Amino acid sequence: MLNVKTLLFRVCKNTTYLLKKKNITENLFPVKETKLIFTFHFKLKICLKMKDELSLLHHAISLAKKSIRDGGGPFGAVIARDGKIIAEANNMVVTSHDPTAHAEILAIRKASAALRSHDLSDCVIYASCEPCPMCLGAIYWSGIKRVVYAAGRKDAADAGFNDSLIYDEIILNPSERKVAFIKESNAGGKEVFKEWDKYEGKIPY
């Protein structure tokens, strides 16, 4: 079976030959052969990148499957930079007795530790399923700008992981949520931020 690179090379070569044979490059379009080859080279790079991304996504899915066998939740995540894996994790909510131990959260923690930085803006996360609201927040805070995932939130809901309540609750005023949110305005919470604003050694994030 031909690989993607060989296939596109042959398409490029054959197309160039046909255009020359029909004299299209000279009489119909102001397109040079070099431009045609460049176009196919560009498409080749895109296809190869898509292939790499699919491979990383498949790896996240394999982590999710292994997690099931290991007693964890059916979720896996991989964080990569320039196509190289920086961190990977599976859902460990039950096995670690930690409700926040989602695959994406754990992968972000590992990646940040490996890179010794809270800024993962040059990384991509690959998840076996669309990240939940908690993980979505962590992704934004980490600076990650690209998320590639396989299953959707409806697929997760059908399997018993329904996040619709959380999505609905987020947009409500805190006083209207099902979980009791009590704000004590006179407790001095604002003083913390005043101190933060004055602190010269702070690192904004």
Side-chain angles (χ1 to χ4, degrees):
M1 180 179 292
L2 296 177
N3 58 38
V4 177
K5 188 173 182 179
T6 303
L7 181 60
L8 279 178
F9 176 77
R10 289 189 179 182
V11 170
C12 177
K13 185 176 180 181
N14 291 339
T15 304
T16 304
Y17 170 75
L18 290 173
L19 290 177
K20 277 186 174 182
K21 186 176 181 180
K22 294 183 178 181
N23 205 25
I24 291 177
T25 56
E26 295 180 2
N27 296 334
L28 295 182
F29 298 104
V31 180
K32 299 296 183 181
E33 179 183 347
T34 53
K35 185 175 181 180
L36 178 68
I37 294 175
F38 174 79
T39 300
F40 276 95
H41 178 69
F42 178 71
K43 290 182 178 180
L44 170 61
K45 290 179 67 177
I46 293 176
C47 287
L48 290 176
K49 181 178 180 181
M50 291 175 62
K51 183 179 179 181
D52 290 340
E53 289 208 317
L54 191 59
S55 175
L56 290 167
L57 185 58
H58 283 162
H59 184 52
I61 293 172
S62 68
L63 290 172
K65 292 180 177 180
K66 183 178 184 300
S67 182
I68 296 175
R69 298 191 294 270
D70 294 341
F75 302 94
V78 172
I79 292 179
R81 185 174 67 176
D82 297 327
K84 297 180 180 179
I85 295 177
I86 302 298
E88 61 183 54
N90 62 279
N91 182 288
M92 297 182 66
V93 169
V94 176
T95 54
S96 66
H97 310 294
D98 180 358
T100 69
H102 288 202
E104 297 90 337
I105 297 289
L106 297 179
I108 287 173
R109 291 173 181 170
K110 289 182 179 180
S112 296
L115 298 176
R116 299 181 63 82
S117 174
H118 60 274
D119 183 3
L120 302 181
S121 57
D122 56 352
C123 296
V124 180
I125 187 166
Y126 301 85
S128 61
C129 183
E130 179 182 0
C132 74
M134 177 181 69
C135 295
L136 179 63
I139 287 168
Y140 273 88
W141 276 111
S142 71
I144 292 174
K145 295 180 175 61
R146 183 175 174 81
V147 180
V148 181
Y149 64 95
R153 67 178 72 171
K154 185 180 183 303
D155 300 307
D158 291 342
F161 300 92
N162 195 337
D163 294 322
S164 60
L165 173 63
I166 302 175
Y167 283 107
D168 293 340
E169 291 272 292
I170 286 176
I171 62 175
L172 296 177
N173 185 290
S175 63
E176 298 175 342
R177 293 172 182 159
K178 295 184 181 301
V179 175
F181 279 75
I182 296 91
K183 181 181 179 182
E184 294 292 349
S185 301
N186 298 321
K190 292 182 180 180
E191 298 302 319
V192 177
F193 293 112
K194 290 180 180 179
E195 185 172 336
W196 171 255
D197 288 337
K198 296 177 181 178
Y199 179 54
E200 295 181 355
K202 64 176 174 287
I203 300 175
Y205 61 93

